[in-house]
Amino acid sequence: MSQTDVKILGISGSLRAKSYNTAALRALQELLPPGVTLTEADISDLPLYNDDVREQGWPAPVERLRKQIAEADAIIFSTPEYNYSVPGVLKNAIDWASRPPAPPFSGKPAAIMGASPGAIGTARAQYHLRQIGVFLDLQFINKPEVMIGGCAERFDANGKLTHEPTREFLKTMVTALADRVRFLRAHK
């Protein structure tokens, strides 16, 4: 792998088949800068976090997620907002992945985006996720903040992001994240 290769793991906080947040991650596939790849994590089969289970060994889906996070150079969270916060499925995935030994989020560059039918496009959930990220030792890029409000008008019936200004915004975000990874590599 060359120094310019950047592997990003995308984690959607929605399990819905026609999720706008998962569609936003998929839109990034078309917008990646050269040398950058994006893989989507599947958190749909993670059991509910239970420390008794963890003490007996990582369930296979958890082990898979932890490995994906560890192998990624950066993380992009795409989160809906439920009850002014992060969805339970996303928090559950983070709880599993964050447990010792060797929590794989530590020191990773990360970005957050979110899509919502509402006007403020997941702002409160994103700020809660930033708070969680402090404990995880994630290194979030601060700009751009990507909050896709009115998402039903920005995606077509097949889940393709058709709103060109939003596509450009996503491209700016993923480029900034890749640049952060490359900057940190150059200054090790």
Side-chain angles (χ1 to χ4, degrees):
M1 173 170 64
S2 77
Q3 276 293 82
T4 59
D5 291 330
V6 176
K7 296 187 299 186
I8 298 174
L9 180 66
I11 303 175
S12 175
S14 176
L15 302 181
R16 195 169 66 87
K18 293 187 177 186
S19 164
Y20 290 115
N21 285 282
T22 303
L25 276 177
R26 292 187 179 139
L28 283 174
Q29 293 288 356
E30 303 168 11
L31 305 170
L32 296 172
V36 178
T37 59
L38 174 71
T39 303
E40 288 179 50
D42 178 6
I43 63 171
S44 66
D45 57 353
L46 296 177
L48 291 176
Y49 181 78
N50 180 332
D51 207 46
D52 292 337
V53 172
R54 182 193 62 86
E55 287 177 350
Q56 295 179 21
W58 302 111
V62 173
E63 199 169 303
R64 179 192 69 227
L65 176 64
R66 287 175 56 88
K67 183 177 184 214
Q68 286 178 307
I69 295 167
E71 291 175 352
D73 297 310
I75 308 294
I76 292 179
F77 295 97
S78 187
T79 184
E81 182 174 300
Y82 296 167
N83 302 314
Y84 284 18
S85 193
V86 179
V89 295
L90 180 56
K91 181 67 167 70
N92 185 59
I94 290 168
D95 288 346
W96 272 114
S98 67
R99 304 282 43 112
F105 285 121
S106 187
K108 295 246 185 236
I112 305 172
M113 63 181 183
S116 170
I120 63 170
T122 76
R124 292 173 292 239
Q126 289 192 35
Y127 291 137
H128 282 180
L129 189 51
R130 283 182 183 276
Q131 290 172 326
I132 294 165
V134 170
F135 177 78
L136 301 175
D137 193 28
L138 286 168
Q139 297 183 21
F140 285 115
I141 59 170
N142 294 319
K143 293 181 180 178
E145 291 183 300
V146 179
M147 300 171 194
I148 308 169
C151 63
E153 291 81 38
R154 298 176 190 258
F155 293 85
D156 68 16
N158 297 317
K160 180 171 175 62
L161 180 60
T162 57
H163 188 253
E164 198 54 42
T166 301
R167 290 176 62 82
E168 285 302 313
F169 211 43
L170 290 179
K171 186 174 184 178
T172 299
M173 180 201 62
V174 74
T175 300
L177 184 59
D179 288 348
R180 174 68 57 85
V181 169
R182 291 176 177 134
F183 174 83
L184 290 172
R185 280 183 187 157
H187 291 88
K188 274 192 172 180

